[in-house]
Amino acid sequence: MSNAIMLMGTSSHVGKSIITTALCRIFHQQGRKVVPFKAQNMALNSYVTRDGKEMGRAQVAQAEAAGLEPMVDMNPVLLKPTGNSCSQVVLNGEPIGNMSAREYHKGYSLKAFDAVKAALGRLQAGFDTLVIEGAGSPAEVNLKANDIVNMRVAKYLDAPVLLIADIDRGGALASLVGTLELLDEEERALVKGLVINKFRGDVSLLTPAVDFLEQKTGKPVLGIVPHIDALGIDDEDSVSLEEKQAVSQDAPISIAVIQTPKLSNFTDFDSLAAEPDVSLYYVKSVEELGEPDLILLPGSKNTTEDLLYLRESGIEAAIRQKVEQGTPLWGICGGYQMLGRAIHDPLHTESAHDSVTGMGYLAMETTFAASKLTTQVTADCVKLPFLGRTLMAEDMPGYEIHMGKTEFGEGVQHPFHITAKADTAFDGWDGAYAVAGQGEVVGTYIHGIFDHDGFRRQLINALRERKGLAGLSVQRNVRMEKEKAYNHLADVVRQSLDMEKLAQIMGETTC
């Protein structure tokens, strides 16, 4: 039987994902066979595994920290919001349909727990340590009866729980005490320790608070984890996007990402944002667009509705004006589909609209189908003309995750050659390129395309040279930076927590 530790929070976004990631790396450094787990995730950021299954990105980061390839058993239930209190339910990596919040929580969630138990059984058989993440708060009294991601998991495994609070938000002491008060006796007994996260300042100033918490709750405070700036590790969905929006960087190249209401997989742009000569910002209105050197249209969980939003808000017209003036425009996945002549939805897969006219830049039309395509890919960029340069790259890893099939008109130039899908050789083409007015328009279905260090630098250098700036050599190695970030995170959390006490909680003699 594997041993386990479970991380729960007093609310959403208190740092459960990051501390779970840290413990995965710490245990991996100790030589353990450690695996992350989250029973149910709600996120628009998702990832495709090698076997074509869909899972939440937070567990992907945790898998990387544990030295593992991501697999869907780490996140057997994924909820992808579609709007109007409705989500697409992805079970064991496969979409099974859309459900309202009431339908899911009142009728289906407990059935989904069978998949959770099956996944846990497989992980217990293959690993010696499970690091489990909860969701939101375990004390939401209106949800507890059908909650399958917090105390139901802890009870099923008899797993010890650490309760985490975010002191940077304020009210951490009250939230810890209040959460424990709202738990029933059996649940409260499973909570073996408290963690205060995201502290700024002199830790010694918190000594009275620690003493109070331990006396009031009878639970030990395992540690105080400091706030870590610019960690560079994938976190949860909406709050991390808000943090990205708040980042302001004085850099010679500015890139605007159009933030639609159902934007998904915004992690596609993290590697661009981290370049020292790039200022990447998110745009929700015409006034925020500014004068970017490049405009990016991201993926979307509801492409037709997001396209109509751009049209009705005036953002589409503003984009057109920039393209006419020479600003290049790139679309990824749903953003790519918007760049075509039309999007058809005869089965009303995404919305009530049978068809929506596209932006018309690319000679293609997309028709949604009932099934979703999810696959990892490897691609080459084959002589893509861009701002007077030719972009070329080989062995670019990424993944596709989209509804529908795209058909092209005559003479469309496809810039990306797909050489493999998952572990199987493949010979096919992706994407499209066109000149529109004074600007250039590029689209692709490949998520993660900017993570290729050489390709990303070629793209930025083309933007630099257009402004009369000299090109730079490759500035960053994304893979190495991630490894450094995981190790740094592990160092900080190891120094902040009482690891001997944690070992005792997990029933061990050393940790």
Side-chain angles (χ1 to χ4, degrees):
M1 177 72 71
S2 303
N3 65 0
I5 187 70
M6 188 162 186
L7 291 302
M8 295 189 194
T10 57
S11 71
S12 297
H13 310 297
V14 298
K16 298 183 295 293
S17 292
I18 289 296
I19 294 181
T20 299
T21 303
L23 292 181
C24 283
R25 176 48 60 107
I26 289 169
F27 295 147
H28 175 59
Q29 290 171 335
Q30 294 173 351
R32 302 190 191 200
K33 291 181 66 179
V34 57
V35 64
F37 181 79
K38 186 171 184 176
Q40 173 189 294
N41 221 332
M42 175 173 279
L44 285 174
N45 276 344
S46 61
Y47 176 83
V48 176
T49 62
R50 186 180 294 273
D51 57 354
K53 303 298 177 64
E54 194 174 357
M55 63 182 288
R57 286 202 66 96
Q59 280 62 62
V60 174
Q62 293 160 6
E64 291 174 348
L68 300 173
E69 182 168 342
M71 55 184 176
V72 78
D73 276 347
M74 299 171 182
N75 175 214
V77 183
L78 175 63
L79 305 179
K80 303 188 73 174
T82 60
N84 298 321
S85 298
C86 185
S87 294
Q88 182 185 64
V89 180
V90 180
L91 188 67
N92 291 324
E94 302 279 358
I96 62 170
N98 292 349
M99 297 185 191
S100 68
R102 175 171 291 276
E103 287 174 322
Y104 179 77
H105 289 291
K106 296 294 186 181
Y108 190 80
S109 63
L110 296 183
K111 296 178 183 177
F113 193 64
D114 289 337
V116 171
K117 292 186 290 186
L120 281 169
R122 290 187 289 268
L123 295 181
Q124 287 179 308
F127 297 89
D128 57 43
T129 305
L130 275 64
V131 184
I132 305 166
E133 181 186 347
S137 164
E140 302 291 347
V141 294
N142 56 314
L143 299 176
K144 279 179 64 174
N146 299 297
D147 180 12
I148 65 169
V149 68
N150 288 305
M151 280 299 176
R152 193 177 300 274
V153 173
K155 290 177 182 179
Y156 178 74
L157 294 177
D158 194 26
V161 173
L162 301 184
L163 184 63
I164 304 168
D166 176 1
I167 197 169
D168 197 42
R169 291 183 165 199
L173 275 64
S175 61
L176 286 167
V177 173
T179 299
L180 288 168
E181 287 293 322
L182 289 173
L183 298 178
D184 63 37
E185 185 175 348
E186 180 185 7
E187 294 167 341
R188 198 157 43 242
L190 287 171
V191 179
K192 303 299 183 181
L194 310 177
V195 176
I196 297 174
N197 194 26
K198 302 182 185 180
F199 180 73
R200 305 174 192 259
D202 185 348
V203 174
S204 65
L205 297 176
L206 271 185
T207 299
V210 171
D211 293 342
F212 165 80
L213 281 173
E214 292 186 335
Q215 183 177 12
K216 179 72 174 178
T217 67
K219 309 290 183 182
V221 175
L222 262 66
I224 300 164
V225 181
H227 191 283
I228 308 174
D229 291 318
L231 188 57
I233 294 174
D234 289 347
D235 199 349
E236 289 292 357
D237 205 33
S238 59
V239 164
S240 53
L241 177 56
E242 292 170 10
E243 291 170 352
K244 294 175 197 297
Q245 292 169 332
V247 173
S248 177
Q249 183 177 348
D250 184 14
I253 300 301
S254 62
I255 298 177
V257 179
I258 306 301
Q259 185 179 346
T260 55
K262 295 302 175 185
L263 178 153
S264 65
N265 289 73
F266 58 79
T267 49
D268 283 341
F269 313 118
D270 285 356
S271 55
L272 281 170
E275 288 287 351
D277 54 343
V278 170
S279 177
L280 185 142
Y281 59 100
Y282 287 80
V283 173
K284 292 187 287 187
S285 68
V286 173
E287 294 74 21
E288 293 174 346
L289 184 56
E291 297 294 335
D293 298 300
L294 172 66
I295 299 173
L296 299 175
L297 272 179
S300 170
K301 188 63 191 70
N302 195 317
T303 306
T304 53
E305 293 293 343
D306 274 353
L307 176 55
L308 292 173
Y309 164 80
L310 295 181
R311 197 156 286 160
E312 294 164 0
S313 65
I315 296 176
E316 180 188 14
I319 292 172
R320 288 189 182 280
Q321 184 179 39
K322 296 301 180 186
V323 173
E324 286 294 322
Q325 295 170 353
T327 305
L329 172 64
W330 285 53
I332 307 293
C333 197
Y336 169 40
Q337 293 171 338
M338 294 180 196
L339 297 175
R341 293 170 175 167
I343 300 172
H344 307 293
D345 192 1
L347 301 178
H348 295 168
T349 302
E350 281 198 355
S351 72
H353 301 281
D354 294 324
S355 293
V356 174
T357 301
M359 298 176 75
Y361 287 121
L362 302 176
M364 64 185 213
E365 297 189 8
T366 299
T367 301
F368 291 147
S371 60
K372 180 189 294 188
L373 174 65
T374 55
T375 182
Q376 291 187 357
V377 300
T378 303
D380 297 336
C381 179
V382 183
K383 296 182 179 179
L384 169 60
F386 186 66
L387 301 181
R389 291 177 54 119
T390 300
L391 308 187
M392 299 178 65
E394 296 181 344
D395 297 326
M396 304 168 67
Y399 58 96
E400 293 184 38
I401 176 170
H402 60 87
M403 308 290 291
K405 180 179 180 180
T406 298
E407 296 183 346
F408 300 92
E410 293 292 330
V412 172
Q413 181 175 342
H414 302 292
F416 303 107
H417 180 218
I418 306 296
T419 59
K421 289 193 172 184
D423 293 321
T424 305
F426 188 82
D427 182 11
W429 293 90
D430 170 80
Y433 166 87
V435 176
Q438 298 297 312
E440 294 173 89
V441 179
V442 182
T444 177
Y445 272 126
I446 303 173
H447 292 284
I449 200 164
F450 300 122
D451 291 344
H452 187 281
D453 297 321
F455 178 75
R456 184 178 64 254
R457 179 41 55 184
Q458 289 180 59
L459 172 68
I460 297 169
N461 280 347
L463 297 170
R464 289 179 62 90
E465 291 169 9
R466 189 186 201 196
K467 299 181 77 170
L469 302 171
L472 303 176
S473 60
V474 173
Q475 302 291 293
R476 300 171 50 242
N477 183 315
V478 169
R479 184 180 296 275
M480 288 183 61
E481 287 177 7
K482 277 191 174 184
E483 286 299 307
K484 286 182 64 176
Y486 294 137
N487 289 334
H488 173 58
L489 174 63
D491 289 343
V492 171
V493 172
R494 186 188 294 107
Q495 294 165 11
S496 303
L497 296 186
D498 185 337
M499 300 304 290
E500 290 188 9
K501 176 66 72 174
L502 179 59
Q504 295 170 12
I505 287 171
M506 295 178 68
E508 304 164 1
T509 56
T510 60
C511 195

